[in-house]
Amino acid sequence: MNRLKLSIATTDYDHFRDFRLGTVHAEGIEHNWSMLSHHEVFARFTFNREWDVAELSFAKFMAQVSRPDSDIIGLPVICSRLFRFSSFYVNKAAGIKTVADLKGKRIGVPEWAHSAAVYMRGWMHNEAGVKLQDVHWVQAGANAPGRIEKVDLKLPEGVTIERIADKSLSEMLAFGEIDCAIIARPPTCFLEEDPRVERLIPDFLEREEEYYKATGVWPIMHIIAIKKRIVDQNQWVTRNLYNAFEESKRRSLERLFDPAVSRYPLAWLPTYARKMRDLFGADPFPFGIDKNRPTFEQMLLYTYQQGIAERHMTPEEIFTPGIMTKVVV
């Protein structure tokens, strides 16, 4: 049988492992899978479209899929999802004790279209009373200088970003050149326990659980993008890929919940996993549109408000038509 050959690129996820290694197959497809750092995949797919299917930052995906001439479309497959109340790091000398104290401050982000920062800026703007225009925004590499914005932006009126090419956010935060940084990965100064730096929200875990229970939003950082050309030529491809990703994830969760053997080198992990299943439901890491609708709708609003997406889209517009066709036996 002649199978359609597709190149795929993601970072290393256990919930993709069985698909990547061939234990799970996408019907009619033969894949060549590149496993790289997510930053490398983002850059190479955004600038060069080097693969047919790739992991992509949700914010960067929205910047590209919302263009009138977009050459990509999405699969409702979630690579990475994380709550981000832990992502605020502040210089103690700035006198920031609450989110409201961020008004008028200098806040650094690695990129404006950085999904973690998009979620937290959106929360600040829509729920915490700190508008985008209330802050002096700074963009620089998280722990090394030289990081650049990878997508075009149309910033809202009254919002400006100062680009710093020769310093990192970690360095500037420690020396008080910025008051706060919103970063997915803890800055080096925090990891090295610099006494000048602390988390703004130390009880982030409790706050995040409360937020989920109140909103049903389980923030998505990275999703899967596919070239439109592939879909136009082979409409069946997206659902077959989706089915394979779904089965691969099911097997990953089955391993995680298994208390019989130490599949992962951490104590009590299956017990914690069952606790998370009680909180999130039978599928604690759902794919698909409807199960993630509040999260998708929030990100689509936030990226539009922040000048990343060119228009305010609906979840159905960013994914291939018919991807969630119901099949009942």
Side-chain angles (χ1 to χ4, degrees):
M1 182 178 67
N2 293 324
R3 297 188 176 191
L4 180 67
K5 292 180 170 58
L6 293 181
S7 56
I8 303 175
T10 71
T11 196
D12 186 11
Y13 294 108
D14 189 78
H15 45 287
F16 292 173
R17 188 185 82 179
D18 292 81
F19 184 15
R20 177 172 57 84
L21 295 180
T23 308
V24 169
H25 297 278
E27 187 66 26
I29 293 169
E30 178 183 335
H31 67 253
N32 183 356
W33 202 302
S34 298
M35 192 172 66
L36 303 163
S37 79
H38 61 274
H39 288 296
E40 183 169 356
V41 176
F42 295 172
R44 290 171 60 182
F45 187 75
T46 296
F47 290 130
N48 308 322
R49 296 287 192 260
E50 294 185 30
W51 301 276
D52 300 313
V53 180
E55 175 179 4
L56 197 56
S57 152
F58 200 174
K60 294 175 181 59
F61 169 78
M62 286 307 304
Q64 298 168 70
V65 79
S66 62
R67 297 170 184 164
D69 60 345
S70 176
D71 63 339
I72 61 171
I73 195 73
L75 293 179
V77 170
I78 288 85
C79 310
S80 179
R81 61 193 315 163
L82 293 151
F83 292 94
R84 292 303 190 187
F85 284 102
S86 63
S87 298
F88 291 90
Y89 300 89
V90 297
N91 184 290
K92 293 179 182 179
I96 301 169
K97 301 301 180 185
T98 69
V99 173
D101 296 329
L102 294 173
K103 281 188 177 182
K105 301 297 186 181
R106 290 171 57 85
I107 301 180
V109 293
E111 296 175 44
W112 188 255
H114 173 60
S115 297
V118 169
Y119 273 108
M120 291 297 91
R121 288 194 308 257
W123 171 73
M124 290 165 58
H125 181 82
N126 291 281
E127 301 180 46
V130 182
K131 300 300 183 184
L132 297 171
Q133 293 82 357
D134 293 338
V135 169
H136 183 106
W137 297 101
V138 176
Q139 183 270 319
N143 293 304
R147 186 163 169 175
I148 62 170
E149 199 74 49
K150 297 179 180 64
V151 294
D152 295 331
L153 305 171
K154 295 181 180 178
L155 293 177
E157 186 176 351
V159 174
T160 59
I161 306 174
E162 180 184 355
R163 312 284 183 183
I164 305 293
D166 59 349
K167 295 180 181 179
S168 70
L169 296 179
S170 178
E171 177 187 358
M172 289 188 285
L173 183 62
F175 284 96
E177 296 175 41
I178 58 174
D179 304 299
C180 173
I182 304 175
I183 312 179
R185 182 176 283 110
T188 301
C189 59
F190 181 81
L191 293 176
E192 293 177 349
E193 300 182 350
D194 190 308
R196 298 169 291 184
V197 176
E198 64 183 356
R199 271 198 170 104
L200 174 59
I201 306 174
D203 60 339
F204 60 87
L205 181 55
E206 292 80 6
R207 293 280 298 274
E208 290 165 354
E209 287 188 0
E210 292 170 2
Y211 180 78
Y212 174 73
K213 290 175 183 177
T215 65
V217 171
W218 184 182
I220 295 167
M221 299 294 117
H222 311 162
I223 66 169
I224 293 292
I226 181 170
K227 290 179 179 177
K228 264 188 178 176
R229 172 181 56 80
I230 302 295
V231 181
D232 291 341
Q233 295 170 357
N234 307 274
Q235 189 175 355
W236 54 270
V237 163
T238 52
R239 184 56 180 262
N240 288 12
L241 285 171
Y242 179 86
N243 290 347
F245 277 113
E246 186 71 72
E247 173 60 16
S248 185
K249 182 199 65 176
R250 187 196 66 77
R251 294 181 182 215
S252 174
L253 289 171
E254 185 175 70
R255 290 191 292 270
L256 188 58
F257 291 132
D258 184 3
V261 293
S262 300
R263 294 185 183 274
Y264 305 94
L266 288 174
W268 304 298
L269 193 59
T271 301
Y272 182 77
R274 289 193 293 274
K275 178 183 176 183
M276 292 300 98
R277 184 171 57 187
D278 291 341
L279 176 63
F280 291 102
D283 184 352
F285 204 93
F287 295 167
I289 297 176
D290 284 339
K291 291 180 180 179
N292 292 291
R293 188 171 295 277
T295 305
F296 285 137
E297 289 179 344
Q298 187 190 75
M299 186 57 147
L300 271 51
L301 172 64
Y302 287 178
T303 52
Y304 176 67
Q305 287 178 331
Q306 296 174 32
I308 297 167
E310 292 196 17
R311 59 191 180 93
H312 188 187
M313 302 180 75
T314 66
E316 281 73 16
E317 289 180 281
I318 67 173
F319 299 119
T320 56
I323 183 67
M324 301 311 302
T325 297
K326 192 173 184 179
V327 179
V328 178
V329 179

